[in-house]
Amino acid sequence: MQNRRFALTLIGDLNVEFSTRIEQQFASISHDYLSYSPIQFSVSGTAANLARAAANLFSQVNVLGCVGADLFGKLIISGLSAPNISLYIAERTDCTTGLGLYVRDAGTSSTHGARLLLIDQGANKSVDSDFIIERASPIADCDVFFVDGYSLLAHPRRGASEAAMAIASANGATVVLDLVPHDAHLYFRIEDLDGWFKHVDMVIAEVRTIRGIFGMPTDPEVHELSTVYETLDILVNRFPGKTFHLRFGFGNIDKSMVCGVDLNPLLLDNG
């Protein structure tokens, strides 16, 4: 691909995921249940997923994270092998590689059935300040730095990710924060956003997540444009000079409202 430009450095989860679908609704299962269903295996996690997609758009992609010194860790490293992907990954001997178990049911409560996602964070949560100090170069030298909310859930990874954002911002990178998980309002406060957004240029979040953090009423899925505009106004007034990418609609993801500095909001259909 000839038009790839710029260097992206990202930090997030590196997991091995097993996913499947069952023919029953979760709510109908009251006893032991056996399902003969195809099980898929993949290298996943926010860092792995973004790195593979970004490799088609950026000339250089740097991946920061931790895995266990085990077979799954080696599979992640192998699965991210690409000419323009550089891995700054530590192999931890004191913990295992992050694992994910993804199960969807046959229900009709959402577009593709309800989702059960179980995560063993494993080595992901071992990212600390020493890890960042040892890998400061790809953070300071990148054009875009990406971090997600999973990296901010708990220390020591939270403090390490905050330090990484500060390094990237101080060196002129565009800092992007994806404010996950969906129930981030249970973990983060407005005061947390005040601190993080000092270093952040672009925020990606669900409308319901932002409303939850601000203590505003919200439905499980946000569909009304008036609600989206109301939420955007609150963000722009509190955090001027930032770009916001707000997701909403079915599954809180099939539509987006993007508002950049001095630009009118742009409505996107992600379907």
Side-chain angles (χ1 to χ4, degrees):
M1 191 171 181
Q2 300 299 316
N3 296 325
R4 291 184 300 194
R5 299 174 60 196
F6 306 115
L8 166 70
T9 296
L10 58 95
I11 187 169
D13 284 355
L14 295 168
N15 297 328
V16 163
E17 181 178 278
F18 297 91
S19 59
T20 190
R21 185 183 184 94
I22 62 174
E23 298 178 357
Q24 298 291 322
Q25 295 182 353
F26 291 136
S28 70
I29 300 174
S30 59
H31 299 85
D32 291 349
Y33 174 75
L34 172 63
S35 175
Y36 289 98
S37 305
I39 297 176
Q40 296 181 325
F41 164 88
S42 63
V43 172
S44 68
T46 53
N49 292 338
L50 179 57
R52 285 193 294 259
N56 295 318
L57 302 171
F58 289 84
S59 60
Q60 178 63 37
V61 177
N62 305 309
V63 181
L64 279 65
C66 293
V67 298
D70 51 29
L71 175 60
F72 288 148
K74 291 178 173 58
L75 289 173
I76 288 175
I77 293 173
S78 174
L80 292 177
S81 176
N84 62 327
I85 295 180
S86 295
L87 303 180
Y88 296 85
I89 294 177
E91 295 184 61
R92 304 296 196 193
T93 59
D94 57 345
C95 51
T96 58
T97 298
L99 294 175
L101 177 61
Y102 179 107
V103 183
R104 280 200 182 273
D105 75 353
T108 57
S109 59
S110 61
T111 305
H112 303 290
R115 179 181 68 168
L116 173 65
L117 182 59
L118 305 176
I119 298 292
D120 177 353
Q121 288 184 294
N124 288 305
K125 61 184 179 182
S126 68
V127 172
D128 55 21
S129 57
D130 289 339
F131 175 92
I132 296 300
I133 291 172
E134 293 168 1
R135 294 160 181 81
S137 179
I139 300 173
D141 296 340
C142 69
D143 300 291
V144 180
F145 180 76
F146 176 93
V147 62
D148 62 61
Y150 296 116
S151 299
L152 297 167
L153 287 175
H155 292 292
R157 185 159 66 149
R158 175 170 175 161
S161 298
E162 290 170 338
M165 283 191 287
I167 293 171
S169 178
N171 285 274
T174 296
V175 179
V176 181
L177 170 61
D178 188 357
L179 199 58
V180 288
H182 305 301
D183 58 353
H185 63 281
L186 300 178
Y187 306 97
F188 305 142
R189 304 169 300 165
I190 297 176
E191 292 77 15
D192 295 324
L193 304 191
D194 288 336
W196 297 334
F197 287 12
K198 292 177 183 178
H199 306 298
V200 171
D201 300 286
M202 180 177 184
V203 179
I204 304 170
E206 292 182 3
V207 172
R208 67 165 179 175
T209 296
I210 296 298
R211 296 181 70 84
I213 293 175
F214 276 83
M216 304 169 66
T218 186
D219 295 321
E221 287 188 350
V222 174
H223 295 276
E224 297 296 329
L225 277 177
S226 59
T227 301
V228 180
Y229 280 115
E230 179 188 39
T231 308
L232 183 59
D233 285 343
I234 291 172
L235 286 171
V236 170
N237 289 330
R238 189 178 183 99
F239 305 107
K242 311 296 180 184
T243 296
F244 295 100
H245 183 136
L246 300 181
R247 301 192 300 264
F248 63 102
F250 289 104
N252 291 298
I253 198 170
D254 80 322
K255 297 184 183 301
S256 295
M257 180 75 73
V258 180
C259 182
V261 181
D262 298 327
L263 297 175
N264 292 325
L266 176 64
L267 180 62
L268 302 176
D269 188 340
N270 301 328

